[in-house]
Each structure stands twice: as C-alpha cells, then as structure tokens.
C-alpha cells in the first residue's frame, strides 16, 4: 500500500462518508418529493363521495372510486385465494421435502427466475392464455389468474425463509416422539413459521393491489359504470382507474387523480406497514 | 392413536396379508405420500408458468412471423405498424436499453451508496428507521411514480432543458429512484454476510473505515452486490407504467435523453389498450415483442441468480 498522509486519508474518509449519506438522503428525499405534492394537491378533494360514487368521464367533481375499490377487493381476494395455497405449498415442499436433490435445484431456479419476469409479460400470458385461449374475456377471474404466477414466487420465497428460521431441534423433537413428517410440519413447524408466512402474504397482497400494466394488457378498462358483483364481471382495479384519470389533462381531473392516489397510497402504505410491523415484532421475539 | 396391526383374527393367510397392509400405519404412509405429491404439484407451478409463457408467446409469435419475416422484425429500423406496416423492433429495443442503462447509472450508485451508509456509518437507530423507509419507497405502486413523472418531473425538465413533453430522461430519473431500495437492501444483505472479522481485522491493521470497505468488505461482497445490480437492471428493463406515462411513444434511435422515445414495454401496454382485433398482425406483434423482453430479462435474472449462488457458496 502506498503510504499516504494521515490527513489525506481522513479527508477521503469524510468526503466519501458524506457521499454515502447523500445517497440515502436522495432516496428518502425522493420518497417525500413523490408523495408530498400529490398528497397536498389531493387532500382538499378528499370527500366521502370519492369512496362511494361511480366513476365519470364528464363530471370529475362527482366521480368516485366505488367501482375501483370493489374491483380491487375482488381481484386481490381471488389472487390470494389462488396464490397462497400454491405458494405456501411450494415453499413447504422446497424447504421441508425436496432436500438437496437436483430436481429441487431446478425448481428453486425457476422460482427465482419467475420473480424476475416483468409484470407486463405476465399480462401478455394472461391475455393469451386466460382471456383468449380459455375465452374468459377481461374479467376479474382472468385478472386474478394473471396475477397469481406474478405473486407466486414472492410467497414461495417468504414461506421458505420463514420455515428456515424454525430451529432444527423442533423438527427433531417432533420426529423423535413418533410423529410423521407431515404431522411435524403441520403441527410444529408451520405454526412456528406463521408470522413469517403471514408477512409474505401481506406483501403479496400489496403487490397485487399495486399492479397496473398486466391488467391493462389483459383489457381491464377505466370507464366502467357498474360495480362488479362476481368473478366473471368486468372490472377496473384502483391503479387502472388512477391511470385512466391521470391521462386526462383537464385540471379538475388532475385534482381527482391526486385525491384518488392519496386514497390509494394510504391503502397500500397501511398494508405494507402491517407487514413491516409484524415482521419486526416477530424478529425481535426470535 | 391406533397404530397397532389390524390383522389379529384367524382369517385365511392371503386376506390377513391384505389387512396387514391396510393397517393404519400404512394408511398413514399413503397419506404422507399424498401430501408430499400435492406439495410437489404446487412447486412445479414455477416450471408450468414459465412453460406457459413460452408456449403462448411462441405460438402467437409463430403466426406473427408468417406475416412478417423474422429478418424484418429483428433487423428492421422502423416501427410503424399501423401507418407503414413496418415491424422493425430495433428502435423499441434501443428505447428499452436506453432507459435501462440510464436508470442503472442513476440507481445503482445511489443504491450502493445507501447500502454502504447503512452498513458502515448509520447509527443503529437510524438504520432501524432507514430500512423500513426504503421498503415503503419500494412499495409505492409504479402508476403513482408514473403520475409523479408526468405531472412534476416532466414540466421541470421542459422548463430547465427544453425537453420534449415526453422524454427519456424523465423515465430514467424516476426508474433510477425506483431501483434504489432494491439495490440498497440486497447489497446491504451481501455486505452483512461477509464475516465481520475480516472488516475488524482491516481496522485493527490501521485502515480507515473507507479503506476497510474498499479493500476488504466490498471485494468480498462483490458477487452478491453484482447479483443485486443485475436484478435491478432487469427490473428497470421491465418497468412499464413509468415509461408509458413519461417517455412517450415515438420509436426512434437517439442519444439525446431529452427527446421522446418508445420502449418495448410501452408498445405492449399501449397496443393492447386500443382494443386490438384478436389475430391481427398488430395483436400478434406484441407477443413477439414480449418474447424478446422475456428472453432478455430472463437472461439477466439468471445471471443475477448465478452470481448470488456463487456468493452464498463462499460464505454459508
């Protein structure tokens, strides 16, 4: 190592420390920069009818998110209904049953790569498979089936991490008492891993409620005048509704979009904070 | 629990044999196998989904290539399906690459800087707040970021630099911010996985904290850090809503980030928005584009996974 003066080394240290701090500040600054102006513009337009009215392309002051909210509830509910059993099951298999086999390696590889596939690609899969090939049309069920492979890898990975954190001794004790493998997993390991699995499930819900592109691709549209009543109805999820209004350059629609985004962000933040707090408490206990 | 043998009566041998096999213990074993097979079926969803993508995309792209020659698609320099019937995808690929490279130049250094700060310099209490806050940033739906780009960043760039209403720089900046939490969180994990003793040893030998970082921790964590970089690049490449709302729909080759461009993702999203007749060449073309996007991002994610595995093999 080239000898350098202590002064210069200290100086470099300080300069770089500032740079690193700057990077954090930029990231956090960006968070506030994004949220603050939208929320400030949106808050004056937060009125009860925004939650209860139907959308409108002519009267922004009377337009509401009723269709969007009900659509998103259906969509997220169905997506979790499909993806949770599959994702948790796959996580249990990979962590508890598959061992170190070559097959397990392949499965793990596919899960990891699926997590990196862009969401718009899942949208095309949904369009080609569910909407066209199975002729569902752009309905809630097709939307949920489109989002299922999208959130699946996240649930698998969260489940695996939760199971990995359960101590080996718990399994050994259960097996030594004569319990079978599944009894051990079902009655000992899974309950111990529940908070971790739940955190993964909540993050999956947050992803599902925030996805826009795949739903646009399968044909969810933003001028729907009725509240969907079942999985085979057309739908306009929240982010798609927000996107539709965002494209309208009229000032009143700008305000309407900001107000809708404020509601949307509050919902998403509440979901994420639940997951973060849950995980924090769970980790501290461990 | 009854797990005793069930064959205690004086039946003929053969029947007794069958009964012995059907004792609760073996019923139990069938149950165990059933459970395992069911779980296995759930696990192969990952493979099935990948195969479904390949099957749907390839079959539609095949019909597309019956109408448009692969040479025109892969080598053509003009994308104008409706007006000119031109299906050269290179300008769209150029747009996608431009956004991905630009966003990486913004997001990777910021993310790594934030990771280093959290690892080495942040007081524990600040760290405990920073990580979840970055996670909140990561959880903001991209349509919100797109709206922010459209309403706030776009006009600023227009006023300051005379940029087009839609311009590449806008997308680059916002997607750059989008990938910061991903890089910060995964790179910090990689650094934390390096044995603390290596860093402490360097400090004990008289290194400053920066020197310990630069010569010991970062090199040791490099494959993990590069894994996070590749993951972020893949994310930047696939992100759709922000480019749809910020960077425009004008397919062109340009080095000027202030001009409007078009990406593969934009074309897929906008084309499907316009109620395409199923089976038309325009409809089929977005599957060919999707196939390209899928192939590129898959390769990037696989590279990331490869680096990550190498990293874990060294330290776990």
């Amino acid at each position: 190592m080239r000898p350098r003066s202590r002064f210069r080394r200290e100086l470099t240290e300080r300069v770089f420390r500032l740079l690193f701090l700057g990077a954090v500040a930029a990231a956090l600054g960006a968070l506030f920069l994004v949220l603050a102006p939208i929320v400030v513009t949106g808050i004056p337009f937060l009125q009860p009818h925004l939650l209860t009215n139907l959308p409108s392309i002519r009267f922004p002051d009377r337009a509401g998110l009723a269709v969007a909210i009900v659509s998103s509830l259906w969509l997220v509910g169905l997506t979790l209904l499909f993806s949770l059993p599959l994702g948790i099951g796959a996580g249990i298999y990979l962590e508890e049953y598959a061992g170190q086999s070559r097959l397990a390696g392949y499965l793990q590889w596919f899960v990891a790569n699926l997590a990196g596939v862009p969401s718009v690609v899942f949208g095309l899969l949904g369009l080609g498979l569910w909407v066209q090939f199975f002729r569902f049309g752009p309905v809630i069920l097709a939307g949920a089936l489109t989002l299922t492979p999208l959130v699946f890898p996240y649930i698998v990975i969260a489940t695996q991490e939760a199971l990995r954190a359960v101590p080996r001794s718990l399994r050994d004790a259960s097996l030594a008492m004569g319990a079978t493998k599944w009894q051990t997993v079902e009655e000992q390991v899974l309950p111990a891993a529940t908070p971790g699995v739940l955190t993964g499930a909540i993050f999956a819900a947050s992803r599902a409620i925030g996805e826009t592109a795949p739903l646009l691709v399968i044909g969810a549209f933003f001028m729907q005048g009725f509240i969907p009543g079942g999985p085979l109805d057309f739908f306009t999820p929240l982010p798609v509704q927000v996107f539709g209004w965002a494209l309208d350059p009229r000032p009143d629609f700008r305000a309407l979009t900001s107000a809708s985004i404020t509601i949307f962000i509050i919902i998403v933040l509440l979901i994420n904070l639940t997951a973060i707090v849950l995980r924090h408490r769970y980790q501290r206990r461990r | 629990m009854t797990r005793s043998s069930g064959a205690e009566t004086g039946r003929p041998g053969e029947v007794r044999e069958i009964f012995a096999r059907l004792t609760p213990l073996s019923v139990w074993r069938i149950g165990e196998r059933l459970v395992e097979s069911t779980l296995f079926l759930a696990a192969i969803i990952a493979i099935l989904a990948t195969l479904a993508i390949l099957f749907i995309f390839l079959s539609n792209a095949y019909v597309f290539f019956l109408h448009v020659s692969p040479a025109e698609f892969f080598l053509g320099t003009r994308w104008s399906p409706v007006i000119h019937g031109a299906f050269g995808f290179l300008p769209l690929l150029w747009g996608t690459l431009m956004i991905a490279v630009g966003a990486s130049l913004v997001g990777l250094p910021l993310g790594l800087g934030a990771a280093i700060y959290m690892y080495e310099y942040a007081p524990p209490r600040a760290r405990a707040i920073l990580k979840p806050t970055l996670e909140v940033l990561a959880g903001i739906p991209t349509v919100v970021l797109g709206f922010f780009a459209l309403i706030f960043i776009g006009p600023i760039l227009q006023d300051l630099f005379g940029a087009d209403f839609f311009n590449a720089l806008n997308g680059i900046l916002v997607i750059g911010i989008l990938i910061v939490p991903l890089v910060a969180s995964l790179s910090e994990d990689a650094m934390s996985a390096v044995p603390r003793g290596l860093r402490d040893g360097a400090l004990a030998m008289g290194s400053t904290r920066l020197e310990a970082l630069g010569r010991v921790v970062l090199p040791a964590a490099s494959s993990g850090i590069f894994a996070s970089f590749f993951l972020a690049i893949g994310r930047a490449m696939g992100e759709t809503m922000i480019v749809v709302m910020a960077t425009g729909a004008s397919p062109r080759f340009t080095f000027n980030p202030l001009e409007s461009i078009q990406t593969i993702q934009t074309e897929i999203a906008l084309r499907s928005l316009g109620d395409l007749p199923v089976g038309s060449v325009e409809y089929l073309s977005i599957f060919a584009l999707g196939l390209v996007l899928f192939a590129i991002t898959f390769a990037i994610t696989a590279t990331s996974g490869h680096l990550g595995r190498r990293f874990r093999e060294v330290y776990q």
Side-chain angles (χ1 to χ4, degrees), chain B residues 71-106:
Chain B
E72 189 200 332
F73 181 77
F74 286 109
L75 302 174
T77 53
R78 182 154 77 172
W79 182 270
S80 175
V82 180
I83 301 172
H84 300 98
F87 286 95
F89 96 117
L90 286 177
L92 302 183
L93 180 67
W94 178 257
T96 295
L97 293 179
M98 189 171 168
I99 295 292
V101 171
S104 305
L105 290 178
V106 175

Side-chain angles (χ1 to χ4, degrees), chain A residues 21-276:
Chain A
L21 182 62
V24 174
L28 296 187
L31 179 65
F32 288 105
L33 198 68
V34 171
L35 296 186
I38 299 180
V39 172
V40 167
T41 323
I43 279 179
F45 296 87
L46 283 184
Q47 281 150 2
H49 77 247
L50 196 58
L51 293 174
T52 52
N53 278 17
L54 298 177
S56 162
I57 51 165
R58 274 183 297 167
F59 307 107
D61 51 333
R62 268 185 265 158
L65 291 168
V67 174
I69 289 171
V70 177
S71 295
S72 278
L73 283 177
W74 270 108
L75 182 69
V76 174
L78 275 185
T79 303
L80 291 181
L81 185 71
F82 299 143
S83 60
L84 282 183
L86 291 174
I88 294 173
I92 295 173
Y93 180 81
L94 287 173
E95 204 55 35
E96 303 288 328
Y97 286 89
Q100 298 291 317
S101 70
R102 180 171 293 191
L103 178 67
Y106 286 132
L107 287 171
Q108 199 74 65
W109 188 81
F110 273 99
V111 169
N113 285 332
L114 207 58
V117 172
S119 62
V120 69
V121 167
F122 286 108
L124 277 178
L125 172 64
L127 175 67
L129 189 64
W130 307 116
V131 177
Q132 300 300 344
F133 188 77
F134 287 111
R135 306 197 177 283
F136 288 171
V139 297
I140 293 174
L141 179 63
L145 288 169
T146 299
L147 294 186
T148 297
L150 196 157
V151 297
F152 171 81
Y154 295 94
I155 299 173
V156 176
I157 292 166
T159 305
Q160 282 188 275
E161 282 172 0
L163 293 175
R164 212 171 296 148
V166 176
R168 178 81 241 162
S169 54
L170 193 66
R171 294 180 181 82
D172 291 344
S174 171
L175 292 171
M177 296 298 286
T180 63
K181 180 113 189 169
W182 175 242
Q183 286 172 331
T184 302
V185 171
E186 192 196 11
E187 288 164 28
Q188 307 300 332
V189 183
L190 269 184
T194 300
V197 175
L198 203 60
T199 311
I202 298 172
F203 276 127
S206 141
R207 268 201 79 99
I209 202 171
E211 278 299 342
T212 322
L215 303 169
L216 284 177
V217 170
I218 67 161
F221 209 51
F222 37 79
M223 290 176 199
Q224 180 165 326
F226 63 93
I227 293 175
L232 294 179
D233 277 349
F234 293 143
F235 68 122
T236 304
L238 261 168
V240 171
Q241 182 67 69
V242 166
F243 173 69
W245 284 338
L247 292 184
D248 202 314
R250 286 174 283 177
D252 285 355
F253 273 94
R254 284 284 139 87
L256 174 65
T257 312
S258 299
S260 311
I261 287 183
T262 306
I263 293 177
F264 185 32
I265 286 181
I266 290 172
I267 297 174
V268 173
L269 287 190
L270 281 180
I271 297 177
N272 282 338
L273 280 180
T274 313
I276 291 171

